[in-house]
Amino acid sequence: MKRYTYIANWKMNSDYNTSMRYIEQLVPFLKQAEQRIILCPSFLALAQTYASLAPTRALLGAQTCSAFAKGSYTGQIDAQSLKQAGCSFCLVGHSERRTYCHETIEDTVQQAKQLLQASITPILCIGETAEQRSASQTFSILEAQLTPLLNVYEDSCAELIVAYEPVWAIGTGTIPSRSQLDEALAWIKEHIKKQRNKADNTTILYGGSIGDANAASCLESPFLDGLLIGNASLDFQKFKNIVSLNC
Ligand code: PEP
């Protein structure tokens, strides 16, 4: 049976104490979960989450990192510190970072470089807005976001994780139709194969308004290796239902 990857992005939707209580609730479930589960709490909760996950096989991810290794960048967190806090993964280019923090494609490239240097696997988030889709720009946007990121890997044999997250699907309750999803995921797979001349060690995820009512239909896509889950990952029953789907 295929082993899927499930990434829980808690964003800033859970304060420190709430996150700690939630992890206590999650641990017994995580201990027996067969799938690869990656939790991305806020920065302050990383180290304690890492400690709490010790009896489980779940892994830790951060939600972003600095584009710089070190220096006078007030308020930023470097990739090396994320590694020391126990992170194996980190989101790069989430649309909320691109929108609210004005992160550019060049910023995402520098972040991915920092992460690879710190032996953290970047989770490359790409996706088009509703306007871009209506203007038939979906693939040119995906290409503009993904190509420079793939260049960072050069000969690296790090796992390549790409999350297709259409901006119009995040937090809206709308998900792509099956044909829209397959078309985008197939394009991403093909693009990686062409640019890197290989597609091994690649994980393709979908993210945007996944809940326990629509996860199963998405997972039917033959191009999908897992899901990136925002809001629903903070609801224990929903998260458990999603992760247990293909057990
Ligand atoms: C996300 O922001 O990465 C995400 C998938 O959010 P949601 O599931 O809440 O749409």
Side-chain angles (χ1 to χ4, degrees):
M1 186 177 299
K2 187 164 174 176
R3 187 165 181 256
Y4 285 94
T5 296
Y6 296 94
I7 302 181
N9 176 15
W10 293 353
K11 313 189 186 189
M12 205 180 72
N13 284 322
S14 179
D15 62 42
Y16 180 83
N17 289 342
T18 311
S19 300
M20 291 307 114
R21 282 195 299 273
Y22 186 44
I23 287 160
E24 262 176 49
Q25 189 184 14
L26 276 177
V27 163
F29 167 66
L30 295 176
K31 273 186 187 166
Q32 35 96 19
E34 300 283 334
Q35 313 297 335
R36 179 166 71 158
I37 298 173
I38 301 166
L39 300 186
C40 302
S42 64
F43 283 135
L44 274 185
L46 285 172
Q48 189 51 48
T49 301
Y50 182 64
S52 304
L53 293 180
T56 79
R57 289 195 295 161
L59 297 158
L60 189 68
Q63 298 176 12
T64 186
C65 82
S66 176
F68 305 99
K70 176 186 171 89
S72 302
Y73 301 104
T74 303
Q76 298 198 25
I77 310 279
D78 61 280
Q80 205 50 250
S81 297
L82 295 178
K83 186 71 187 175
Q84 289 160 9
C87 290
S88 309
F89 300 88
C90 180
L91 302 179
V92 168
H94 191 284
S95 70
E96 286 154 11
R97 300 287 311 174
R98 295 184 199 257
T99 304
Y100 303 129
C101 305
H102 312 291
E103 283 183 359
T104 63
I105 289 174
E106 182 52 24
D107 292 329
T108 64
V109 165
Q110 295 309 323
Q111 290 167 354
K113 280 188 186 163
Q114 294 301 331
L115 291 166
L116 289 174
Q117 268 165 26
S119 302
I120 294 177
T121 305
I123 298 160
L124 310 175
C125 302
I126 59 171
E128 80 288 0
T129 63
E131 294 70 30
Q132 289 161 342
R133 176 165 278 271
S134 324
S136 303
Q137 292 169 347
T138 298
F139 299 114
S140 57
I141 293 297
L142 296 183
E143 180 160 17
Q145 293 174 342
L146 187 55
T147 301
L149 284 166
L150 293 182
N151 284 334
V152 173
Y153 287 70
E154 293 175 339
D155 294 329
S156 161
C157 34
E159 178 185 3
L160 183 57
I161 307 185
V162 179
Y164 172 55
E165 295 214 298
V167 182
W168 49 271
I170 295 178
T172 59
T174 304
I175 64 163
S177 67
R178 177 61 193 281
S179 63
Q180 286 173 325
L181 183 65
D182 282 352
E183 188 186 38
L185 300 177
W187 184 91
I188 291 168
K189 264 206 156 108
E190 199 44 44
H191 184 73
I192 293 170
K193 222 196 285 179
K194 265 198 244 149
Q195 196 181 330
R196 285 186 50 77
N197 213 8
K198 57 178 184 179
D200 52 331
N201 211 8
T202 297
T203 300
I204 310 284
L205 310 173
Y206 165 75
S209 291
I210 283 294
D212 52 357
N214 58 19
S217 64
C218 286
L219 289 173
E220 280 169 13
S221 169
F223 305 103
L224 204 62
D225 303 308
L227 297 167
L228 202 166
I229 310 155
N231 282 325
S233 68
L234 279 162
D235 179 314
F236 177 66
Q237 200 51 53
K238 283 187 187 163
F239 187 59
K240 191 173 160 202
N241 289 345
I242 297 168
V243 174
S244 308
L245 270 172
N246 55 337
C247 292

